[in-house]
């Protein structure tokens, strides 16, 4: 399916060309003029300039439209539309997943910043604690460091 999606722009361009060809084929073909002047021959859809030998060529009518090709064109257009819708859904889903991942990463960074701050403050409190409370403050700082290491080790 991804291979078809890769060629989707080309398929759409091809469908456009086919519709233009079909529309052109239904119009009346203009006359083709063969102009011979000074030994040079040119073909044009405009009348030849004065003094040139002019021959008007009959252009056969375009063949009638093939119903099978019209059905094939319609089928390809429907397929192109289906692929476009699938691509849009996939892009929307990817956008939602990217937003979720971005939100989760921001929450993770904020959580780690809070834990680092708590660990730093606990270490500062332990270094300034009175002798009687120093052991409890050091234990608190050690636990804050362990929590930080465990929660933010990614």
């Amino acid at each position: 399916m991804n291979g078809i999606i890769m060629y989707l722009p080309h398929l759409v361009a091809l469908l456009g060309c086919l519709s233009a060809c079909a529309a052109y084929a239904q119009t009346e073909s203009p006359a083709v003029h063969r102009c011979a002047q000074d030994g040079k021959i040119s073909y044009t859809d405009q009348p030849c300039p004065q003094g040139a030998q002019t021959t008007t060529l009959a252009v056969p009518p375009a063949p009638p439209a093939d119903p099978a090709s019209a059905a094939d064109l319609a089928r390809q257009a429907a397929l192109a539309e289906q692929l476009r819708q699938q691509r849009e859904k996939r892009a929307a889903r990817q956008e939602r997943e990217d937003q979720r991942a971005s939100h989760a990463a921001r929450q993770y960074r904020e959580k780690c910043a809070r834990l680092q701050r708590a660990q730093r403050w606990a270490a500062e409190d332990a270094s300034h604690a009175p002798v009687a409370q120093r052991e409890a403050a050091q234990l608190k700082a050690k636990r804050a460091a362990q929590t930080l290491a465990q929660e933010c080790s990614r």
Side-chain angles (χ1 to χ4, degrees):
M1 190 60 113
N2 285 340
I4 293 174
I5 292 173
M6 184 173 72
Y7 294 109
L8 184 61
H10 302 293
L11 182 61
V12 171
L14 176 64
L15 292 174
C17 288
L18 288 174
S19 358
C21 289
Y24 181 74
Q26 292 175 356
T27 63
E28 192 172 307
S29 299
V32 176
H33 302 278
R34 180 181 184 266
C35 305
Q37 187 174 23
D38 300 328
K40 296 180 182 178
I41 297 176
S42 62
Y43 295 89
T44 178
D45 60 348
Q46 303 296 321
C48 297
Q50 281 191 339
Q53 182 182 5
T54 303
T55 306
T56 303
L57 305 173
V59 178
D66 181 20
S69 65
D72 189 44
L73 181 63
R75 184 187 58 76
Q76 289 178 3
L79 177 63
E81 177 62 20
Q82 179 185 8
L83 293 173
R84 184 192 62 77
Q85 289 174 355
Q86 288 175 354
R87 186 182 69 243
E88 287 177 358
K89 284 179 184 178
R90 194 171 33 259
R93 185 174 47 246
Q94 184 64 45
E95 179 68 24
R96 286 190 305 271
E97 289 173 5
D98 290 347
Q99 287 176 351
R100 280 189 213 114
S102 175
H103 181 70
R106 185 175 57 250
Q107 285 183 324
Y108 177 77
R109 286 190 305 272
E110 290 171 359
K111 176 183 175 184
C112 290
R114 280 192 308 274
L115 289 172
Q116 286 174 339
R117 196 171 37 253
Q119 188 268 333
R120 187 175 58 246
W121 289 347
E124 287 174 7
D125 289 347
S127 66
H128 296 96
V131 175
Q133 298 171 347
R134 185 164 290 160
E135 190 175 319
Q138 286 175 339
L139 181 60
K140 184 177 179 181
K142 180 180 175 183
R143 287 181 178 160
Q146 288 172 342
T147 302
L148 175 64
Q150 183 180 10
E151 295 290 326
C152 299
S153 62
R154 287 195 238 176

